[in-house]
Amino acid sequence: MADPTAFYSVISGIGGALIGGVAGVYGPVRIDKRRREHELHIENLRREFEIQAQARAADLEARRLRDEANAREQAIEAERRRLRAEEDARKKAASQEESEKVLAAIADATVALQDWHRLIARTLQDLAAEREVNVAEFDESAEPVMHSVAEAISLVSNRSFRSVRQNGHTGDPSGDADGRQPVTLAMQQVTLELRRQLLAPQSGLDVGDSITARTDTIRDDLMRVFRAERELQVGPPIVVNATMVAAAETYRP
């Protein structure tokens, strides 16, 4: 009878050989499979990392473009505000300059208008007293004051007051334009009519009273216009009453 130990030894040897053969065949296959799986995993991680990196780069680029666009818009808006501020400053300066020009012209014209009125009145008095009047001196006195009044009238804002009715009264702003004439023409007509009287006096005619009435009307209406224009430029005058004076005295240190 065979030795069992020898039999088991043979069986073990055969089994070991089989196992070794199988391991020799399938071991490298499994190792290679794991290696390929590992390499594939690494490649997937690399691709995922690249995708994330590209996404971050795209996000940073988009953010940079947005920041540049916002900065550009802010710069444009700031430039627009600067230009608007400069334009407003220019308009304000021009308006202030124009207002000062109008006020200066009105001040000159107010004095000139009074001078013209006094010239007409004094000349009429000389005619009534049969005193000799130098026509050249009359012309020399009348021309500059009429020019000053005409310049101020050309600057006033209310154009409705630049004309008067032919009877010497200023027309209502809402009235009919028929029968109206420039106020400077009315002044010139009065002045020329008086000048004709100086050159060829006409006795027996009530010319002096007519000239005086027309002169008074032109002066009074123009003074009213000049006051209204001054209020338009600088506001109404401050009225100081007794209550305001008393209050000022009370709080005086």
Side-chain angles (χ1 to χ4, degrees):
M1 184 174 179
D3 187 0
T5 303
F7 177 76
Y8 286 120
S9 296
V10 173
I11 294 300
S12 297
I14 294 172
L18 290 174
I19 292 172
V22 172
V25 174
Y26 290 100
V29 174
R30 294 181 63 184
I31 292 173
D32 186 62
K33 179 180 179 181
R34 290 181 179 178
R35 181 181 58 78
R36 288 197 303 272
E37 290 177 350
H38 179 70
E39 291 177 351
L40 181 60
H41 178 68
I42 295 299
E43 180 65 18
N44 290 336
L45 290 177
R46 185 185 64 79
R47 290 179 179 178
E48 184 178 354
F49 178 79
E50 288 181 353
I51 292 173
Q52 292 177 354
Q54 292 174 357
R56 286 194 298 269
D59 183 64
L60 291 174
E61 180 66 13
R63 186 179 303 175
R64 184 185 66 81
L65 293 176
R66 285 196 302 269
D67 292 343
E68 289 182 355
N70 291 335
R72 189 180 302 108
E73 288 295 330
Q74 292 175 1
I76 292 174
E77 182 60 26
E79 181 65 13
R80 289 174 179 172
R81 287 196 299 268
R82 185 186 67 81
L83 293 176
R84 284 196 297 266
E86 289 182 356
E87 182 65 19
D88 292 342
R90 282 195 296 269
K91 289 181 179 179
K92 184 176 181 180
S95 177
Q96 181 67 23
E97 182 179 355
E98 181 66 20
S99 178
E100 292 176 356
K101 181 180 179 181
V102 171
L103 292 174
I106 288 176
D108 292 342
T110 300
V111 175
L113 183 61
Q114 297 288 4
D115 291 341
W116 175 77
H117 185 271
R118 283 192 293 268
L119 174 65
I120 300 298
R122 184 174 64 250
T123 304
L124 287 174
Q125 291 173 0
D126 291 340
L127 282 177
E130 297 183 353
R131 289 191 291 268
E132 182 179 356
V133 178
N134 189 309
V135 178
E137 292 180 357
F138 175 81
D139 292 341
E140 185 178 352
S141 299
E143 182 178 354
V145 296
M146 292 181 62
H147 175 75
S148 179
V149 172
E151 182 180 2
I153 292 174
S154 68
L155 296 175
V156 297
S157 301
N158 194 340
R159 296 178 179 271
S160 63
F161 292 109
R162 296 185 186 179
S163 60
V164 296
R165 294 196 182 278
Q166 292 182 3
N167 61 5
H169 297 281
T170 55
D172 185 83
S174 60
D176 190 0
D178 295 338
R180 296 167 70 89
Q181 62 181 180
V183 66
T184 51
L185 179 59
M187 292 180 64
Q188 186 178 29
Q189 287 179 346
V190 171
T191 305
L192 291 177
E193 185 174 345
L194 180 55
R195 189 178 189 277
R196 284 194 295 269
Q197 287 294 314
L198 296 178
L199 295 174
Q202 300 180 22
S203 59
L205 297 178
D206 193 14
V207 177
D209 292 342
S210 174
I211 291 177
T212 299
R214 291 157 62 190
T215 303
D216 290 344
T217 298
I218 293 173
R219 180 201 60 182
D220 295 342
D221 286 350
L222 280 180
M223 291 296 290
R224 175 171 54 85
V225 171
F226 291 156
R227 283 194 299 269
E229 185 67 21
R230 279 195 297 269
E231 291 185 7
L232 182 64
Q233 296 292 333
V234 300
I238 299 176
V239 179
V240 180
N241 53 34
T243 303
M244 295 175 64
V245 173
E249 292 292 336
T250 302
Y251 289 100
R252 177 178 295 178

